[in-house]
Amino acid sequence: MLKLMGALISLFLIIIIFLRIPQENVGLASFATKSNILGSPSSATRFLNILTGIGILAYFTIAIQINLLN
């Protein structure tokens, strides 16, 4: 169960990192501004920062638990 959750959090973090591609990259940045998926740029940045931090903490917690069980 922990390995499955660890894999899901890993995929989640990869997706978040792709959403955080720098603004000069025209492809994803233009998509995000045209579709307005994440709202305004400042609130989207803050939201992604919080989400990334929570995901990293959850990943480390699960990784430590998996290592202690082995």
Side-chain angles (χ1 to χ4, degrees):
M1 181 70 178
L2 283 176
K3 288 185 180 182
L4 177 64
M5 287 182 63
L8 290 175
I9 290 176
S10 297
L11 291 173
F12 176 70
L13 286 172
I14 290 170
I15 292 170
I16 287 177
I17 289 168
F18 278 129
L19 287 175
R20 295 177 52 100
I21 291 176
Q23 300 299 328
E24 56 268 0
N25 188 338
V26 178
L28 192 58
S30 66
F31 171 74
T33 56
K34 286 180 186 174
S35 62
N36 204 10
I37 289 176
L38 299 173
S40 70
S42 61
S43 66
T45 302
R46 183 170 184 255
F47 176 72
L48 288 176
N49 285 341
I50 292 170
L51 209 55
T52 304
I54 291 170
I56 290 170
L57 288 176
Y59 180 80
F60 279 142
T61 303
I62 290 173
I64 290 169
Q65 288 179 353
I66 290 172
N67 284 333
L68 290 176
L69 290 176
N70 292 333

